[in-house]
Amino acid sequence: GGDPRLLRFRDVRFEAYRATTAVRATREPFETNVKRPYFHVKPLDDAQLANWHAYLDNEERAGDVSSVTRLYERCLVPCARYPSFWLRYARWQASDEGQGVAAARAVLQRAANVFCKRDVEVHFALARLEESDGDVDAARAAYAHVADDVAPGLLRCVVERANLERRAGDVAAAKDAYERAMQVEKSREGAGSKAYGVLACKYAAMLHEACGDVEGARAVYERAIGMPGGGANVLVWDGWLNFERSVGRGVAHVRAVVERCCDGDTSKDAPSESSPGRLPERDRRRISSALVEYADLVGTGAELTDAERAHERRFPARAVGDGGSLGDAGGRKRSAAVAGVEDVAAHHAAYYAQRGYQLPARYYHQ
């Protein structure tokens, strides 16, 4: 029968061999596809990147923390210049399966300070990690580093910094972040620039949706439109129109915005059709059509009629074809709601995209 101790030793060794063989079999396909285990400035091809992701998925499913950590460290030798792997490593370390927030912070600091110094995603991830761990000052420092050194003038940094201040309870600091950024953009490219329009819309959205300050949000749009060149900023007009729709106080507020945009000031100092302080006719036509669509959606019959008449007064229908006119054989004009359907489609899609979803294009062409 043999010595029982030797038999037990043999069984233990056999179990270890069988377990090792099974693990080796699962790893072998991935190891075979690792073509470059060393660092090189030449980018990896898509197959190599996909293989590393699949390999990491396999190890994470196995659940051995030490094995996963070793594989991540090994992966980050050839993939050191790829922020996605650093971000994935940090997420895993911060999860319940990883080694905690401190380990995740160390990963992101290595990436931000050494390997991916110019990648804003890494710095933003570090800022969010610091905030989630309760260190708001460290998060502020991360955003300041992005704004000053990594990507000066980046609008996303302004928005995220303002949102950080709001979550920290300092609404005044959040407002100040937007005010300073808008002042810089106005002095740099004017109130008619896209960047200024984005900042104004984001600022107003924060006041309205996060702070419940409807009048403050409206004042932001009023001030942006009143700036030299602001009247030609289509982003501000669209944002203001969508804001009034989302407030849901009826057609009157939306009509006031449309009238100010399309009719403007009738004084002798009012901007002309070609003035840089006024929207092009195509944009004004679209915004005017949006009022018709909104009145049709929520207004009364009288409000819809008034909106259609105002639209036709602003943009009379043009004759088309061989001497014919727009409309049926009797020469009647199409209503503004039909004539402006393409413009309404563009505006409506922008509105619903801002609210978080998008309607298919065929919705407007049934």
Side-chain angles (χ1 to χ4, degrees):
D3 188 340
R5 292 176 299 176
L6 293 176
L7 294 176
R8 186 164 58 253
F9 176 75
R10 183 195 65 184
D11 292 341
V12 170
R13 294 297 297 271
F14 180 73
E15 287 298 327
Y17 170 77
R18 186 168 60 181
T20 303
T21 302
V23 171
R24 183 176 184 275
T26 61
R27 293 175 176 172
E28 188 172 8
F30 304 110
E31 291 289 348
T32 302
N33 290 324
V34 174
K35 305 301 183 184
R36 189 202 297 171
Y38 52 88
F39 175 79
H40 197 280
V41 293
K42 183 179 178 180
L44 291 167
D45 57 41
D46 292 340
Q48 287 284 287
L49 297 175
N51 181 65
W52 279 116
H53 278 297
Y55 200 175
L56 291 167
D57 290 339
N58 179 72
E59 289 299 315
E60 288 178 3
R61 283 193 296 268
D64 187 339
V65 175
S66 62
S67 295
V68 177
T69 302
R70 283 195 301 268
L71 184 61
Y72 267 113
E73 294 293 341
R74 181 183 164 201
C75 164
L76 287 171
V77 174
C79 302
R81 302 292 295 275
Y82 290 88
S84 60
F85 287 96
W86 290 100
L87 295 173
R88 175 175 177 162
Y89 190 13
R91 284 194 300 268
W92 176 79
Q93 288 284 25
S95 68
D96 294 336
E97 292 77 21
Q99 297 173 312
V101 174
R105 180 184 293 110
V107 169
L108 290 175
Q109 287 175 343
R110 286 166 57 196
N113 297 328
V114 181
F115 297 102
C116 303
K117 293 187 289 186
R118 310 304 299 177
D119 189 89
V120 296
E121 294 294 340
V122 173
H123 292 277
F124 287 154
L126 179 59
R128 288 190 290 270
L129 180 69
E130 298 290 8
E131 181 190 2
S132 67
D133 196 39
D135 193 346
V136 177
D137 289 336
R140 290 190 180 107
Y143 284 120
H145 177 58
V146 173
D148 296 338
D149 302 320
V150 179
L154 182 66
L155 298 186
R156 180 182 167 190
C157 185
V158 176
V159 174
E160 293 205 12
R161 172 65 184 274
N163 291 337
L164 167 70
E165 299 294 354
R166 180 195 58 78
R167 290 191 296 270
D170 194 347
V171 177
K175 293 180 180 179
D176 184 63
Y178 276 114
E179 294 286 353
R180 285 187 287 107
M182 291 173 69
Q183 184 65 32
V184 169
E185 186 58 36
K186 185 182 73 169
S187 63
R188 180 184 300 164
E189 302 208 9
S193 68
K194 290 184 178 180
Y196 190 89
V198 169
L199 287 170
C201 292
K202 290 291 186 181
Y203 187 13
M206 183 194 74
L207 293 175
H208 173 215
E209 300 180 27
C211 304
D213 187 0
V214 174
E215 294 304 322
R218 186 175 288 119
V220 170
Y221 287 117
E222 289 269 6
R223 182 157 54 93
I225 291 300
M227 292 289 178
N233 197 320
V234 67
L235 294 179
V236 176
W237 285 114
D238 282 338
W240 195 0
L241 192 65
N242 293 335
F243 160 74
E244 296 294 356
R245 291 184 59 151
S246 65
V247 170
R249 294 184 180 175
V251 177
H253 284 85
V254 177
R255 182 173 60 245
V257 174
V258 172
E259 288 176 351
R260 181 167 177 180
C261 174
C262 298
D263 300 336
D265 187 0
T266 57
S267 67
K268 63 180 181 179
D269 297 327
S272 63
E273 289 291 320
S274 59
S275 170
R278 194 178 188 189
L279 286 181
E281 180 181 342
R282 177 180 178 181
D283 290 322
R284 285 185 283 116
R285 180 189 294 272
R286 173 176 57 81
I287 289 175
S288 179
S289 298
L291 174 61
V292 178
E293 181 268 341
Y294 187 64
D296 188 26
L297 180 67
V298 304
T300 64
E303 288 174 328
L304 175 59
T305 300
D306 290 343
E308 288 187 322
R309 288 175 177 173
H311 180 80
E312 291 171 355
R313 172 180 54 79
R314 297 182 188 110
F315 308 102
R318 298 182 177 88
V320 296
D322 297 329
S325 63
L326 213 61
D328 55 22
R332 292 176 299 174
K333 297 178 182 178
R334 292 191 300 175
S335 70
V338 177
V341 67
E342 295 295 338
D343 295 334
V344 172
H347 171 79
H348 213 180
Y351 170 74
Y352 282 110
Q354 187 184 64
R355 310 309 300 168
Y357 60 92
Q358 185 175 4
L359 294 177
R362 65 177 180 275
Y363 174 83
Y364 302 101
H365 303 284
Q366 294 177 348

